[in-house]
Amino acid sequence: MGFMEPEREVRAISEYEQARREKLGKLAALGVDPYGSRFDGVEGLGAIRGKYDPANEEQVVRGAGRVVLLRDIGKLIFLTLRDWTGQVQAGLTGKLLEERGWQAAKLLDLGDIVGVEGALGATKTGEITIWARRLTMLCKATLPPPSKWHGLVDVEQRYRQRHVDLFSNPEVVRRFLERAAIIEQVRVFLRGRGFVEVETPMMHPIAGGAAARPFVTHHNALDIDLYLRIAPELYLKRLLVGGMERVFEINRSFRNEGLSTQHNPEFTMCELYQAYADYGVMLELLEEMVGGLAAARSAEMRLEFGGRLIDWRRPWARKTYAELFAEHAGFPLTEIDKVRARARQLEVGEANMEDAVVVNEVFEKVVEGKLINPTFVLDYPAALCPLTRRKAGEPGVAERFELMAGGMEIANAYTELNDPAVQEENFRRQLRGQAETMAVMDEDFVQALKYGMPPAGGMGVGIDRLVMVLTNLASIREAILFPVLRPAGGG
């Protein structure tokens, strides 16, 4: 069938839906509930395929799935059923099914969900097949699947109808199962090193923990504005003060900023803190953790991303921020006139920016995209890092690193600042000219530090981006089940 004009396609779909609704009534007349009920004893269809034994023709199996292929050749109907473990063929015939089951089989459509029970065998062509002795209707689909089951192709439609994307594109299901596996491996790794998983608030009275524009909401009972968290950092550090020495949280954070292939306003981080450590400990921890994730996906520790191979073999490159700036910009970051001139060339509105911010704008544009293999960028300008301890003997440098891979930031880590007086002054400095992001100082956090927080290392790992580079996804939207989208039909 060739391409249909939109008007004809809408009319055709409406006709298909009407035909399926009529089948609902026919199923009800047979005494068959078109929306099914509990169906116990189900095995994964992938496992059913794997247990086929040609020497055992009496092996009875029980499975369920969505009909993705249907061939009705009169006295025999072949269904291909799919679940999240795989797919298998089912053969239906009036000789094996009871009369009502056979009549129900004649009312099946693509997209229906059914259960089958029968002997596991094969056709003459060798196709592994469940020869159904019982057919159970579990859900009648009243809308047809897209494009004769070729799947959703339009990217925007795939994101808006992720439910259809998942059942019509098996590779998308595999991707998100892989994401779940990565998160579970992170949890297992951290627990194995003595970290405890915790939960901290998602609604904050003060927007803090990072420099970003927050989402604002209102609590009616208390009649106060609250902010969806931009980071859990300040609450996790309170736990260090309280004596919980190794904590982590896999959290949802929110930043009211732009959309791109690397940014979604709602995103997932793993943030962790370890007492009596520093950013060097965090570096070693991260290299071991992410290196293990890469090794689990490639024995050679080389994974494709964006048409290139990322080499995850350890040790990873370690370079200072200043070294990388000079290498890629062609002059040192201390030559501010040249930095600002380059910023203007890059169309950065630098006129009202502090020097350190301009330096970082240039760094992000001329350096970050060049760092394909994993690289630790060490020792950031202190003015960019209000929550970070300064390097001994170098007050202008902060003990901070970012891990870059695939041309983007994957993780960010500090030696945490635990001097309350310095922290208070840093907050005051950050507040100047940043009313939009931090209008109020978090005095409660400063007070918490006055009770004493042990020296510590802290780190945040972007889970969505980590999944991107480990599974070769071009956009962060491919790593998130339900990314933020413009309203349908919007400009």
Side-chain angles (χ1 to χ4, degrees):
M1 181 181 295
F3 174 76
M4 291 190 297
E5 294 178 357
E7 295 83 359
R8 292 179 59 195
E9 184 176 9
V10 169
R11 185 163 56 251
I13 288 175
S14 177
E15 292 168 1
Y16 286 136
E17 183 175 357
Q18 180 59 38
R20 287 168 178 248
R21 289 181 177 275
E22 290 172 2
K23 291 180 180 181
L24 288 175
K26 293 177 180 179
L27 287 167
L30 290 173
V32 174
D33 183 350
Y35 295 107
S37 60
R38 177 172 170 172
F39 191 69
D40 292 332
V42 173
E43 295 182 77
L45 299 180
I48 287 175
R49 285 188 67 89
K51 69 192 297 185
Y52 171 63
D53 179 2
N56 183 1
E57 298 181 355
E58 297 301 320
Q59 186 176 192
V60 176
V61 296
R62 186 174 169 89
R66 192 180 291 271
V67 179
V68 299
L69 184 64
L70 190 156
R71 289 182 295 140
D72 186 339
I73 51 180
K75 295 183 178 181
L76 183 61
I77 299 173
F78 285 112
L79 309 176
T80 298
L81 302 181
R82 179 185 294 162
D83 69 3
W84 68 346
T85 69
Q87 60 186 42
V88 72
Q89 180 170 272
L92 312 179
T93 173
K95 292 181 180 181
L96 292 177
L97 291 172
E98 61 180 14
E99 178 61 23
R100 186 171 66 169
W102 178 243
Q103 291 183 45
K106 286 291 185 176
L107 296 171
L108 291 176
D109 288 299
L110 291 177
D112 290 351
I113 301 173
V114 300
V116 293
E117 181 178 330
L120 188 61
T123 63
K124 293 179 180 179
T125 60
E127 179 67 31
I128 298 172
T129 302
I130 303 171
W131 295 105
R133 299 170 186 173
R134 171 183 276 183
L135 171 70
T136 303
M137 176 63 71
L138 296 174
C139 188
K140 181 69 180 173
T142 54
L143 283 177
S147 305
K148 285 192 173 180
W149 215 267
H150 294 157
L152 289 177
V153 176
D154 180 81
V155 172
E156 192 77 7
Q157 188 182 10
R158 288 181 50 238
Y159 298 151
R160 291 190 187 283
Q161 293 185 287
R162 184 67 90 185
H163 48 290
V164 180
D165 186 30
L166 289 165
F167 73 63
S168 59
N169 295 326
E171 67 277 9
V172 177
V173 174
R174 288 192 289 270
R175 177 190 313 154
F176 285 104
L177 293 178
E178 182 71 3
R179 175 190 169 105
I182 288 169
I183 293 173
E184 182 59 23
Q185 287 170 285
V186 168
R187 281 193 165 101
V188 169
F189 177 89
L190 293 174
R191 287 169 181 158
R193 282 148 186 81
F195 286 84
V196 173
E197 186 169 9
V198 297
E199 296 174 312
T200 61
M202 294 178 70
M203 294 190 296
H204 294 181
I206 295 172
R213 179 185 296 176
F215 286 94
V216 184
T217 187
H218 188 78
H219 191 294
N220 290 333
L222 297 178
D223 193 23
I224 58 171
D225 284 343
L226 294 170
Y227 304 90
L228 296 185
R229 69 178 167 203
I230 55 179
E233 178 168 352
L234 302 185
Y235 284 91
L236 290 170
K237 287 181 180 178
R238 286 172 168 89
L239 300 183
L240 291 179
V241 173
M244 299 184 72
E245 296 180 355
R246 297 190 185 200
V247 293
F248 77 96
E249 182 175 11
I250 296 178
N251 65 88
R252 302 291 280 179
S253 290
F254 307 84
R255 298 183 184 179
N256 195 355
E257 297 172 348
L259 297 167
S260 74
T261 57
Q262 297 182 15
H263 296 88
N264 192 67
E266 179 181 6
F267 60 98
T268 303
M269 282 197 297
C270 174
E271 193 148 323
L272 60 102
Y273 292 85
Q274 179 176 339
Y276 316 118
D278 64 2
Y279 78 146
V281 173
M282 295 295 102
L283 185 149
E284 294 169 1
L285 188 77
L286 181 64
E287 191 174 46
E288 184 180 357
M289 181 176 76
V290 177
L293 292 171
R297 283 147 188 84
S298 167
E300 297 80 20
M301 295 189 71
R302 292 182 176 89
L303 294 169
E304 183 178 353
F305 177 68
R308 304 182 184 183
L309 282 180
I310 297 182
D311 188 346
W312 292 96
R313 290 177 298 175
R314 300 158 57 194
W316 300 337
R318 292 152 166 78
K319 294 188 175 183
T320 68
Y321 184 101
E323 289 171 341
L324 285 166
F325 188 98
E327 177 184 340
H328 292 278
F331 51 86
L333 56 81
T334 53
E335 297 186 12
I336 297 301
D337 288 345
K338 290 184 178 180
V339 173
R340 288 189 176 273
R342 178 63 60 85
R344 290 191 292 273
Q345 290 176 359
L346 295 169
E347 299 183 345
V348 174
E350 47 77 40
N352 296 317
M353 291 182 181
E354 294 183 4
D355 288 346
V357 176
V358 180
V359 168
N360 199 54
E361 289 282 341
V362 173
F363 184 92
E364 289 179 352
K365 291 182 179 295
V366 304
V367 179
E368 291 188 357
K370 307 286 181 59
L371 303 179
I372 305 304
N373 285 331
T375 302
F376 288 112
V377 181
L378 301 163
D379 301 342
Y380 274 63
L384 298 173
C385 314
L387 297 162
T388 311
R389 182 188 289 264
R390 279 39 182 160
K391 205 169 181 67
E394 298 181 65
V397 176
E399 291 193 348
R400 168 186 173 185
F401 75 75
E402 289 190 3
L403 173 65
M404 300 289 176
M408 60 185 175
E409 175 195 346
I410 304 299
N412 183 25
Y414 308 153
T415 300
E416 300 300 334
L417 179 60
N418 63 345
D419 182 330
V422 174
Q423 183 63 83
E424 184 171 7
E425 176 54 31
N426 287 352
F427 276 164
R428 293 189 186 284
R429 187 180 301 112
Q430 187 183 34
L431 284 170
R432 296 178 194 127
Q434 294 193 21
E436 190 173 38
T437 58
M438 283 187 66
V440 181
M441 179 185 296
D442 194 337
E443 295 179 356
D444 181 74
F445 175 69
V446 173
Q447 183 181 31
L449 290 184
K450 292 178 180 179
Y451 286 105
M453 186 183 89
M459 179 164 60
V461 182
I463 295 295
D464 308 314
R465 292 184 182 178
L466 182 62
V467 170
M468 285 176 65
V469 296
L470 292 178
T471 62
N472 192 22
L473 302 178
S475 169
I476 197 169
R477 294 183 178 188
E478 296 287 357
I480 297 172
L481 276 168
F482 300 102
V484 174
L485 301 169
R486 294 182 185 276

